[in-house]
Amino acid sequence: TTPTPDDLALANARRALKLVSANLPHLAGLCHAVRVKVTRKKPVAAIGPTGLMLVNPTVFAEAPLPDLAFVVAHELMHLALDT
């Protein structure tokens, strides 16, 4: 079966988290703690104080992995800095 855009977005978000964890080890703990949910309600991504990261399926299914890693790192910094 062909993966849906939501499936691909979730897999890419998890790949991006692994890439961030490997390249920015000070964020590794947060990478392992966040949960990812695919939603069309956010234009790119967002993260809440509980560690729930919301990712847009279109963006996370189509954008290059390095770009997604940047977005994920950005969202994780919101948690790290409590902003």
Side-chain angles (χ1 to χ4, degrees), residues 36-47:
V36 180
K37 181 178 177 184
V38 177
T39 181
R40 287 163 181 74
K41 292 181 180 180
K42 299 296 177 185
V44 178
I47 197 160

Side-chain angles (χ1 to χ4, degrees), residues 43-67:
V44 178
I47 197 160
T50 63
L52 178 62
M53 185 183 314
L54 306 173
V55 298
N56 182 286
T58 303
V59 173
F60 272 72
E62 297 176 3
L65 186 57
D67 293 352

